[in-house]
Amino acid sequence: MSSATDALLVLILLLNFFVLGSSRIRSIIYTIAAQGLLLGVLPLLVHESIGVREGLVSVGAIALKSVVIPRMLLRAMADLPIRREIEPLVGYRTSLLLGAAATGASMALAARLPLEIVHPPPLLVPASFATVLTGFIVLTTRTKAITQVLGYLMLENGIFIFGVLLLEAMPFLVEVGVLLDLFVAIFVMGIIINHISREFASVSTERLAELRE
Amino acid sequence: MILALTLAGVPLCGAAIAYAIPSNTARPLVLPVCALAHLAAAVAAFAGVDAGAGWLALDPPGRLVLLLVSVLFAACSFYAVGYLRLRGERDNKVFCACLLAFLGMTSLIACAQHLGLFWVAVEATTLSSAPLLYFNRTGHSLEATWKYLLIGSVGIALALLGSLFLGYSALAGGQDSSLLFDDLVRNAPSFSKPWLHGAFILLFVGYGTKMGLAPMHTWKPDAYGETPGVVGALLAGGLTSCAFLGIVRTFRVVVAAGEAEFASQILVVMGVVSMAVAGVFMVQQRDFKRMLAYSSVEHMGLLILGLGLGPVGAYGSLLHMVNNGLVKGVMFLTAGNIHRAYESKSTDEVSGALRRLPWSGGLFLAGFIAVTGSPPFAPFVSEFTILNAAIGEGRYIIGGLMLVLLLVIFMGMGATVLAVVQGQPSARAKRTPFHDRAITILPPLVLMTGVVILGLFVPAPLRRTIEEAVRFLGFPEPQP
């Protein structure tokens, strides 16, 4: 069981690097959809007894993170004139290096935190931190509004990995609330991206820089 | 429990009703109706009727926030009717529905005793307020909304991670992992300390982003600058107080774990940083709505500074939360009036507001005097209490810095405000159709009256609740 979990987490980590090295927005969306699918399987592997609740959370996460949200974003893409993130603030090679540093730092940090009592799979906590940090890198170094939304999604994915540890502690209602909030957030962001592209004929957030001191 | 459900449910039903009403002129009337019903329920809750239990309950700081939001919303709801009449050309369906949804979610925040539910409600307020910022449908408001939504969501995501850390620190400490605040406080002494520290930092950064503490404040000037004054009042007075409630409740858990020292250091340092950043940007500020945003950054800094300074400071801080909420209501509503009359919010074009709009200009000026902490207004009392706490704790450098920064902010803000209210209005400004009406003046006037009264004396029920809230925080007894 544990080796399957670790294999899954390694895959999730690899997908992080794929996002950092990719310029085609469409393939980033597919990558994050794949990551969402793997995340959805994670609770089933980590918890030995699979009840109705774990099953529902899994199905909900898969449906939302790998089907509904990616489709929403792909549809938003269809109306936009852009296909690639052309001018990231930091180059792809540097982003990959940053990603590697973030992953290393996550491993080091997780090793210093006491984990002995709960016994999570060894890679789970580092994978969670690394995905959160990768989300941050995407958020801060990419200039297209849609890529920033993708960074935010990765951040949420990383948090979800950590949340798997607390699946039994978190009441079902809260899990549903969290997923619902995520859905509405992406939905509203999608609408705003649409307005940005109509208003400025561009979805680069560099255009959104008139308000400053 | 039932009362808590009413508090959140009435506005949400109102939102649905508002959305269903087809008439653009009749729809805003739902706002004051819901607001008054909510105010009645909030007063009952404040008086201690049906405190609730379990997931939905009103603790003392929750009662304070609830009453503040309810009073502020009641004033804003009447103002909104007048404002939306002036903006008849715009469809206000989404605006009215989102305002009411916002009220429902802030009530849920005040009542939510479960860490996860609290988070869900905070995120929901972010989402329901985003369309409010975009009411003007301009490029600038679009930019402001995007920043607000993205920075807010990322901040809130960190708070979620912090909530999970807190849950994990309970698990790692060998406790069952109930995430109700009261259970967390009871079990806190056995929590795993490294995880608890991480949890506090993440929750502080997360809810601090929502409060608009420096350096996570960057969305604030844009959002407050571009949004209608009535939304600014609700965000600066209401939403920020709700986010502060998140920090207060987390702080209580950390205090119970015996780590008050660790958390207080962070609160004090970040409080001073926020005040300093606000001071820097307020000097030479020509946009009077952005100036108000920086004033909000400053006062959020004061709130966490007070919280970090022990029981006396916490008393001042909670009182200041109420005072700041009311004054921000006065200032944003009157700033909205001035903005409409001059069709500009820059001191390059706005001057002579006292002549052009005697009531709005006068209240704006009075609000400035109050918000900068001058007697006899309420913020003077609470700021003085916080200063007293700093001196009492022997933190002379912190107290000195606070005084210097308050002075800098007074001068910076004063230059902008005086430029707005003094002098002669331009010929163009005299021709605009806007003039002071009862419906856009009485709400800020009522709030200002509250500020004056609270400056003269703190009514007994309010004082008792704040004292209860301070005891509720459970500060360690001072060592003899």
Side-chain angles (χ1 to χ4, degrees):
Chain A
M1 214 50 157
S2 151
S3 65
T5 317
D6 281 344
L8 196 72
L9 289 166
V10 170
L11 270 179
I12 290 174
L13 283 173
L14 284 175
L15 290 180
N16 286 346
F17 286 100
F18 197 81
V19 170
L20 285 176
S22 171
S23 72
R24 279 176 52 91
I25 294 172
R26 194 171 280 276
S27 51
I28 299 181
I29 297 179
Y30 286 131
T31 312
I32 288 178
Q35 201 174 42
L37 185 68
L38 298 176
L39 287 180
V41 180
L42 199 59
L44 304 179
L45 290 178
V46 172
H47 294 268
E48 279 122 30
S49 60
I50 298 162
V52 180
R53 268 196 42 186
E54 282 85 356
L56 279 177
V57 170
S58 261
V59 171
I62 292 176
L64 189 66
K65 286 176 186 277
S66 69
V67 183
V68 178
I69 289 178
R71 285 193 64 165
M72 255 159 44
L73 292 172
L74 285 172
R75 192 171 299 163
M77 279 282 293
D79 303 334
L80 301 179
I82 45 140
R83 294 290 166 264
R84 282 169 189 277
E85 173 79 42
I86 304 170
E87 293 157 334
L89 297 174
V90 171
Y92 295 103
R93 209 171 301 159
T94 324
S95 310
L96 283 169
L97 284 176
L98 279 175
T103 311
S106 306
M107 300 271 182
L109 180 65
R112 293 182 55 138
L113 285 166
L115 290 165
E116 58 277 5
I117 303 164
V118 189
H119 288 300
L123 269 180
L124 194 131
V125 175
S128 159
F129 293 174
T131 311
V132 168
L133 290 174
T134 311
F136 253 115
I137 295 172
V138 173
L139 261 169
T140 47
T141 62
R142 306 294 195 257
T143 56
K144 299 280 183 282
I146 195 157
T147 334
Q148 292 179 343
V149 174
L150 291 167
Y152 170 67
L153 266 180
M154 290 192 80
L155 188 77
E156 288 279 350
N157 279 354
I159 296 171
F160 185 88
I161 301 177
F162 193 85
V164 169
L165 284 179
L166 286 160
L167 199 57
E168 280 144 4
M170 271 289 175
F172 185 59
L173 200 67
V174 171
E175 303 269 4
V176 173
V178 170
L179 288 177
L180 191 70
D181 271 347
L182 178 66
F183 169 74
V184 180
I186 303 289
F187 185 74
V188 177
M189 285 177 190
I191 294 174
I192 296 191
I193 288 179
N194 209 320
H195 281 283
I196 293 175
S197 72
R198 256 188 274 159
E199 179 83 26
F200 298 103
S202 143
V203 281
S204 179
T205 51
E206 283 173 332
R207 292 289 191 85
L208 298 181
E210 282 189 32
L211 296 177
R212 58 172 68 192
E213 295 310 328
Chain B
M1 188 76 164
I2 292 168
L3 191 58
L5 287 174
T6 315
L7 283 164
V10 165
L12 289 181
C13 293
I17 293 170
Y19 200 78
I21 292 178
S23 156
N24 214 28
T25 44
R27 192 183 299 117
L29 296 176
V30 179
L31 296 171
V33 174
C34 279
L36 290 179
H38 186 271
L39 185 60
V43 169
F46 191 77
V49 179
D50 184 18
W55 281 48
L56 291 175
L58 276 163
D59 50 14
R63 284 209 292 277
L64 274 179
V65 170
L66 181 71
L67 188 67
L68 169 64
V69 170
S70 193
V71 167
L72 196 60
F73 192 90
C76 288
S77 69
F78 285 96
Y79 181 91
V81 172
Y83 173 75
L84 290 172
R85 198 177 295 154
L86 291 173
R87 307 296 305 271
E89 83 284 0
R90 266 195 208 299
D91 183 21
N92 57 35
K93 182 190 269 190
V94 174
F95 189 79
C96 289
C98 283
L99 271 180
L100 287 164
F102 175 83
L103 178 65
M105 285 303 118
T106 45
S107 311
L108 187 59
I109 291 177
C111 302
Q113 288 300 322
H114 188 282
L115 197 58
L117 184 66
F118 186 90
W119 183 88
V120 169
V122 175
E123 172 76 12
T125 52
T126 310
L127 298 174
S128 60
S129 46
L132 299 176
L133 297 187
Y134 189 40
F135 181 65
N136 284 323
R137 296 279 187 280
T138 59
H140 281 165
S141 68
L142 195 59
E143 175 180 348
T145 312
W146 178 253
K147 283 185 188 161
Y148 173 74
L149 196 57
L150 202 69
I151 298 176
S153 299
V154 170
I156 295 291
L158 291 181
L160 177 61
L161 190 60
S163 304
L164 293 172
F165 268 42
L166 197 54
Y168 192 79
S169 81
L171 277 184
Q175 295 292 340
D176 65 342
S177 47
S178 159
L179 295 180
L180 291 174
F181 282 108
D182 281 342
D183 290 339
L184 288 170
V185 165
R186 193 168 51 246
N187 298 331
S190 63
F191 281 6
S192 160
K193 293 293 178 301
W195 286 101
L196 183 70
H197 289 182
F200 180 76
I201 291 170
L202 285 170
L203 283 161
F204 175 75
V205 171
Y207 292 135
T209 308
K210 205 86 219 87
M211 269 176 91
L213 292 167
M216 298 88 77
H217 69 285
T218 45
W219 57 273
K220 210 170 203 177
D222 299 351
Y224 291 3
E226 298 307 318
T227 187
V230 58
V231 179
L234 286 172
L235 293 182
L239 183 56
T240 50
S241 305
C242 290
F244 179 58
L245 184 61
I247 293 180
V248 168
R249 285 182 176 157
T250 313
F251 182 66
R252 176 173 167 240
V253 177
V254 179
V255 170
E259 297 286 319
E261 187 69 14
F262 164 80
S264 299
Q265 286 301 351
I266 296 179
L267 292 175
V268 169
V269 171
M270 295 313 287
V272 174
V273 167
S274 284
M275 291 181 70
V277 168
V280 168
F281 284 101
M282 230 187 271
V283 175
Q284 303 272 314
Q285 182 60 253
R286 294 218 293 275
D287 182 326
F288 60 84
K289 276 174 123 179
R290 289 176 78 86
M291 172 200 76
L292 290 183
Y294 286 112
S295 166
S296 176
V297 174
E298 173 214 347
H299 287 275
M300 292 306 116
L302 271 171
L303 290 189
I304 58 164
L305 174 63
L307 189 62
L309 288 173
V312 180
Y315 180 90
S317 167
L318 289 166
L319 182 60
H320 194 64
M321 179 183 81
V322 176
N323 297 343
N324 174 58
L326 298 179
V327 183
K328 281 292 173 330
V330 175
M331 296 218 73
F332 272 99
L333 295 184
T334 50
N337 290 344
I338 296 171
H339 187 183
R340 289 236 66 78
Y342 286 81
E343 291 167 355
S344 163
K345 54 196 178 73
S346 164
T347 51
D348 296 339
E349 291 165 51
V350 180
S351 60
L354 275 175
R355 286 203 167 75
R356 174 72 179 75
L357 298 171
W359 282 98
S360 295
L363 279 170
F364 188 68
L365 182 62
F368 153 69
I369 296 169
V371 84
T372 45
S374 318
F377 298 107
F380 168 74
V381 179
S382 42
E383 285 178 19
F384 193 74
T385 311
I386 296 173
L387 183 65
N388 234 341
I391 307 294
E393 295 273 308
R395 310 286 285 268
Y396 299 109
I397 297 176
I398 297 293
L401 275 174
M402 182 182 155
L403 271 182
V404 171
L405 288 169
L406 283 177
L407 191 68
V408 169
I409 288 165
F410 179 80
M411 294 192 297
M413 203 170 169
T416 310
V417 170
L418 291 180
V420 168
V421 296
Q422 288 182 333
Q424 291 292 337
S426 64
R428 195 172 78 90
K430 284 181 187 152
R431 285 198 300 274
T432 54
F434 185 88
H435 56 93
D436 279 338
R437 290 179 179 81
I439 197 155
T440 49
I441 281 305
L442 280 177
L445 189 63
V446 169
L447 293 175
M448 195 68 214
T449 314
V451 174
V452 173
I453 292 174
L454 286 180
L456 298 176
F457 75 107
V458 182
L462 182 64
R463 200 189 60 241
R464 266 202 307 277
T465 309
I466 297 178
E467 281 165 358
E468 261 177 65
V470 172
R471 272 198 302 280
F472 175 80
L473 281 170
F475 282 102
E477 295 295 318
Q479 303 297 325

